[in-house]
Amino acid sequence: MKVTLSALDTHESSFLPLVVIELAQDVKEETKEWLKARIITKKKDGGAQLLFRPLLNKYEKETLENQNLYLVGASKIRLLLGAEAVGLVKECSDNTMRAFTYGTRHNFKDFDDDNDDFLSMAERQFIIKHELENLRARDEKMIPGYPQAKLYPGKSLLRRLLTSGIVVQVFPLHDNEALKKLEDTWYTRFTLKFQPIDRIRGYFGETIALYFGFLEYFTFALIPMAIIGLPYYLFAWEDYDKYVIFASFNLIWSTVILEVWKRGCASMTYRWGTLVMKRKFEEPRPGYHGVLGINPVTGREEPLYPSYKRQLRIYLVSLPFVCLCLYFSLFVMMIYFDMEAWALGLHEDSGSEWTSILLYVPSIIYAIVIEIMNRLYRYAAEFLTSWENHRLESAYQNHLILKVLVFNFLNCFASLFYIAFVLRDMKLLRQSLATLLITSQILNQIVESLLPYWLQKKHHVRVKKKVEALKADIDATLYEQVVLEKEMGTYLGTFDDYLELFLQFGYVSLFSCVYPLAAAFAVLNNLTEVNSDALKMCRVFKRPFSEPSASIGVWQLAFETMSVISVVTNCALIGMSPQVNALFSESKTDLILIVVAVEHMLLALKFILAFAIPDKPRHIQMKLARLEFESLEALKQQQMKLTAENLKEECREGGKETVP
């Protein structure tokens, strides 16, 4: 018998809470009742058909604080039907990966009617998030009790509630038992071991698991560079001609590791099911706004915004603003060089130990200023990109990443390019590169992990004391957990984490022939970064919603672009070395032509390697081809069946003999 959504019960008195909705303290009762009704109402009537109850009952609200906190869950059948709706891919009993359907649920590995663990908690929370985000306005013109909060057919209710301040936040709950098991195998024991990537994926989802997988892979990939770079640092500082081999190895290394990562990523995401997860037509992002109209592709009613207005905003406002910020960054850089000249002059005049230490102060100050400017610019870039009003989340992310990468690249590397190719001071280049790399790593560790962890520990102690002081004879465990987690910081995604690795990759690859020790410092930083980021995810921030991902997205292109730029910089630095210049003392033109020729040869080698190494392993290609073939065959059978039914109907209407 086919189970439909209308058969599900949405009035279970007790259920496993998966998601928390926090309302503002002064929300009107009619608004609460309307929201509850929309969440528990059947799908056919425009609801989400989920389970919903307040965190505290009436007696507990009088005893404790009047918290407007509500718990959301779903029945097992509702979650399974939701998994089919979002297109989750699971492993079948024949070891193939297929999109889950409720009707064929018994064909999937580990499925049992009594097994509640078929869907991970992260997948269940993702399904609930999807259902809440797809609650759309129907006939309502406004949110009940709030005439100023206007609605129109198709508007996301959750988005309107958040922007109106009626809903403060929506977040998934931690599973304390599963979290403790994950921590024990992840970061609590400081030993050199591989991360439990599959467990991370099961708890946090594919997007975060891919970040930690890439962080681990990148760290191990840096080890050969670190080992080879040490003897160059210790024994041959000024013999730049000896760095040709090291720089050439760096260029090949940067290409190979990125191509090999794509293969490993494909294997992982196929095993997780996201590689074969069908990409549906993208819905408008929640922040997208415009005049209500009909989408010509889908035929659905949604906001429409003219493309030319968006282009005007990009080219007349966003682009000039970015250029102004880049100019300001260059202005700050020139102040830094004035400080360097002042410190050097002071040292040459006195020659004391204090002034020798002072030589490093301008670089340290500049590194701190760079971090501050990067963070301030990030907020401005987010505001501008949101103001541009992109329809799709993917377009929004691409424009945001482009803005941030351009500024961060110039802000972090412009001074190094200036020192290398204008001042041509290799000693100052080494000093500046080392100072920028080490200072940025220390600041990131403090700002991203240690400081938030310390603040969170203090808050945890306050919540513990408050709960222990309660006179009420109630089980306050869930109350304590929800109150503690709602005050945690919100994890804003992997953007900043990938950006940190991207800049680190630039420090290592762009000027490798001048400072070969950069890879060693990067390895040391990343060994602690794995544990600090794990601590941050588990104990500092709220649990983020799981998001399916098949790759690291546009960051793959960013890293590949950086590796191409590194070819140019390393070839130019080698061509500028005194030893190479001595070989072409009579003709600088010959030197330039040879450097350009070598650069083109290395670029050609990079592209040949990228082409020669397939993005997906052979066995994954075969499995994907098999799935595509089976999909085409199933579609063909469906069309043949439909054609036969149509012929029977035509024959029946014409009084002819039925086609067999």
Side-chain angles (χ1 to χ4, degrees):
M1 177 180 176
K2 183 178 180 181
V3 177
T4 61
L5 286 173
S6 59
L8 301 181
D9 180 18
T10 56
H11 301 283
E12 293 184 21
S13 59
S14 177
F15 59 86
L16 176 67
L18 295 170
V19 173
V20 176
I21 297 178
E22 181 184 5
L23 303 182
Q25 289 294 335
D26 57 349
V27 172
K28 299 176 182 178
E29 285 299 322
E30 63 175 309
T31 309
K32 295 180 183 178
E33 292 301 319
W34 169 79
L35 177 60
K36 176 183 177 181
R38 289 305 303 267
I39 290 176
I40 68 174
T41 298
K42 295 178 180 179
K43 289 281 286 184
K44 66 178 183 179
D45 297 325
Q49 208 159 348
L50 301 173
L51 303 175
F52 182 85
R53 69 174 174 86
L55 171 64
L56 305 176
N57 61 37
K58 184 177 180 181
Y59 166 72
E60 291 169 342
K61 283 185 178 180
E62 294 172 355
T63 308
L64 305 176
E65 296 180 6
N66 184 25
Q67 301 284 354
N68 278 345
L69 295 166
Y70 295 84
L71 306 176
V72 183
S75 65
K76 180 180 177 181
I77 297 176
R78 178 70 185 89
L79 289 169
L80 292 174
L81 292 171
E84 179 178 347
V86 299
L88 286 185
V89 174
K90 307 291 282 185
E91 186 176 5
C92 293
S93 301
D94 60 358
N95 297 324
T96 59
M97 305 298 295
R98 300 181 189 279
F100 176 80
T101 58
Y102 186 81
T104 61
R105 60 192 182 280
H106 293 289
N107 295 336
F108 290 85
K109 185 177 287 187
D110 299 327
F111 180 86
D112 189 272
D113 290 325
D114 298 324
N115 179 18
D116 294 330
D117 297 327
F118 176 70
L119 295 176
S120 68
M121 191 169 183
E123 290 171 334
R124 285 178 274 174
Q125 290 168 334
F126 170 69
I127 292 167
I128 288 182
K129 172 177 174 277
H130 176 267
E131 296 298 340
L132 290 175
E133 287 182 339
N134 280 278
L135 273 176
R136 303 282 178 177
R138 305 187 88 186
D139 301 327
E140 304 99 328
K141 302 297 182 184
M142 64 178 187
I143 294 176
Y146 295 87
Q148 73 279 10
K150 302 296 183 183
L151 293 174
Y152 53 80
K155 174 66 179 176
S156 170
L157 295 181
L158 185 60
R159 175 71 182 180
R160 174 60 75 206
L161 289 166
L162 286 167
T163 55
S164 302
I166 300 169
V167 171
V168 178
Q169 59 180 333
V170 180
F171 62 92
L173 275 175
H174 274 294
D175 181 344
N176 289 327
E177 184 179 345
L179 182 62
K180 184 67 171 66
K181 291 179 180 178
L182 176 62
E183 289 177 313
D184 290 340
T185 59
W186 195 3
Y187 72 91
T188 53
R189 299 168 188 169
F190 291 95
T191 56
L192 291 176
K193 62 181 185 301
F194 290 105
Q195 296 179 93
I197 300 298
D198 287 331
R199 286 195 175 191
I200 297 170
R201 175 254 173 180
Y203 192 84
F204 289 110
E206 290 80 14
T207 298
I208 291 173
L210 278 174
Y211 162 70
F212 280 100
F214 182 75
L215 173 59
E216 179 180 84
Y217 171 81
F218 183 54
T219 304
F220 278 101
L222 283 168
I223 292 177
M225 288 291 297
I227 293 173
I228 295 173
L230 283 173
Y232 280 96
Y233 174 81
L234 295 173
F235 306 117
W237 258 121
E238 303 300 333
D239 295 334
Y240 290 102
D241 56 331
K242 296 181 180 178
Y243 290 145
V244 174
I245 298 175
F246 180 73
S248 301
F249 175 79
N250 183 335
L251 302 175
I252 297 172
W253 164 85
S254 63
T255 303
V256 172
I257 65 164
L258 294 175
E259 293 301 316
V260 173
W261 161 253
K262 283 195 282 191
R263 293 171 59 84
C265 180
S267 297
M268 272 196 303
T269 52
Y270 177 83
R271 188 173 71 249
W272 296 341
T274 52
L275 187 65
V276 297
M277 198 169 178
K278 292 195 180 294
R279 186 176 181 83
K280 298 184 178 180
F281 185 82
E282 282 194 79
E283 298 285 342
R285 53 186 292 270
Y288 178 66
H289 58 85
V291 179
L292 193 64
I294 302 297
N295 186 303
V297 178
T298 63
R300 300 173 187 166
E301 199 172 32
E302 67 175 50
L304 300 178
Y305 188 77
S307 176
Y308 77 89
K309 288 187 178 181
R310 184 181 303 111
Q311 299 301 320
L312 287 175
R313 290 186 175 192
I314 292 174
Y315 292 110
L316 297 183
V317 179
S318 296
L319 184 59
F321 176 80
V322 172
C323 293
L324 182 64
C325 290
L326 295 177
Y327 173 79
F328 180 74
S329 174
L330 294 175
F331 178 75
V332 172
M333 181 189 75
M334 299 313 297
I335 295 176
Y336 156 65
F337 285 120
D338 290 339
M339 292 173 60
E340 283 281 2
W342 170 79
L344 182 61
L346 191 66
H347 176 65
E348 289 176 348
D349 291 339
S350 63
S352 65
E353 292 183 3
W354 288 106
T355 54
S356 63
I357 296 174
L358 189 65
L359 289 174
Y360 292 92
V361 173
S363 295
I364 295 174
I365 294 174
Y366 184 52
I368 296 172
V369 170
I370 282 176
E371 290 298 319
I372 295 172
M373 289 171 62
N374 285 344
R375 294 181 186 279
L376 291 176
Y377 177 81
R378 168 72 184 275
Y379 294 122
E382 287 178 345
F383 173 80
L384 275 178
T385 310
S386 179
W387 178 71
E388 290 166 6
N389 197 25
H390 297 278
R391 178 183 179 274
L392 303 179
E393 183 65 28
S394 58
Y396 171 85
Q397 290 294 333
N398 289 339
H399 280 80
L400 175 62
I401 290 173
L402 179 62
K403 288 185 184 73
V404 174
L405 282 186
V406 168
F407 181 80
N408 277 260
F409 182 85
L410 186 75
N411 203 28
C412 294
F413 299 117
S415 61
L416 301 178
F417 279 101
Y418 186 82
I419 295 170
F421 301 115
V422 178
L423 300 181
R424 298 194 176 190
D425 187 340
M426 297 303 136
K427 185 176 180 181
L428 179 59
L429 179 61
R430 288 197 300 271
Q431 174 190 313
S432 299
L433 178 57
T435 307
L436 287 173
L437 176 64
I438 297 170
T439 306
S440 65
Q441 290 176 347
I442 294 173
L443 287 175
N444 282 325
Q445 293 284 358
I446 294 173
V447 173
E448 291 184 6
S449 299
L450 297 180
L451 181 60
Y453 179 70
W454 178 72
L455 293 173
Q456 182 57 31
K457 287 288 285 186
K458 289 186 67 176
H459 172 70
H460 197 171
V461 171
R462 289 197 301 270
V463 173
K464 280 277 190 184
K465 288 180 179 179
K466 184 184 293 185
V467 174
E468 289 171 1
L470 293 173
K471 303 290 186 181
D473 184 23
I474 62 171
D475 180 12
T477 305
L478 180 60
Y479 171 79
E480 177 188 350
Q481 179 186 354
V482 173
V483 172
L484 175 64
E485 291 185 20
K486 83 180 184 69
E487 297 296 334
M488 287 180 168
T490 301
Y491 182 65
L492 299 177
T494 56
F495 185 97
D496 289 325
D497 297 314
Y498 278 119
L499 180 61
E500 185 180 345
L501 290 180
F502 172 77
L503 296 176
Q504 184 186 93
F505 182 67
Y507 285 128
V508 171
S509 61
L510 288 177
F511 304 100
S512 59
C513 63
V514 175
Y515 190 61
L517 204 59
F521 279 115
V523 170
L524 294 175
N525 174 78
N526 289 357
L527 290 176
T528 59
E529 184 82 12
V530 170
N531 292 297
S532 63
D533 281 354
L535 174 69
K536 175 177 69 177
M537 294 301 307
C538 295
R539 293 298 171 186
V540 175
F541 291 119
K542 295 183 188 75
R543 183 178 187 172
F545 280 105
S546 167
E547 287 293 340
S549 291
S551 68
I552 63 174
V554 72
W555 291 105
Q556 181 78 33
L557 177 61
F559 278 87
E560 290 172 352
T561 304
M562 181 69 83
S563 70
V564 171
I565 298 173
S566 71
V567 173
V568 181
T569 58
N570 280 281
C571 288
L573 286 171
I574 292 172
M576 289 167 51
S577 68
Q579 290 81 5
V580 175
N581 272 267
L583 297 175
F584 299 91
S585 57
E586 297 181 358
S587 175
K588 298 300 179 184
T589 304
D590 291 344
L591 172 61
I592 294 172
L593 291 174
I594 290 176
V595 169
V596 171
V598 171
E599 172 212 321
H600 280 61
M601 289 172 59
L602 289 172
L603 284 174
L605 178 61
K606 281 178 66 67
F607 291 122
I608 290 171
L609 285 172
F611 178 78
I613 302 174
D615 291 349
K616 299 180 181 69
R618 178 67 177 169
H619 68 281
I620 298 295
Q621 294 180 26
M622 296 297 293
K623 289 177 179 178
L624 292 176
R626 179 67 181 173
L627 283 175
E628 185 177 359
F629 171 76
E630 290 178 356
S631 298
L632 292 173
E633 286 295 306
L635 181 61
K636 188 187 300 182
Q637 292 293 331
Q638 185 179 4
Q639 290 175 338
M640 290 175 62
K641 183 179 178 181
L642 183 62
T643 302
E645 289 176 354
N646 290 337
L647 285 173
K648 289 180 181 180
E649 186 65 27
E650 290 175 3
C651 291
R652 194 177 294 114
E653 290 176 357
K656 298 179 181 179
E657 186 180 348
T658 304
V659 178

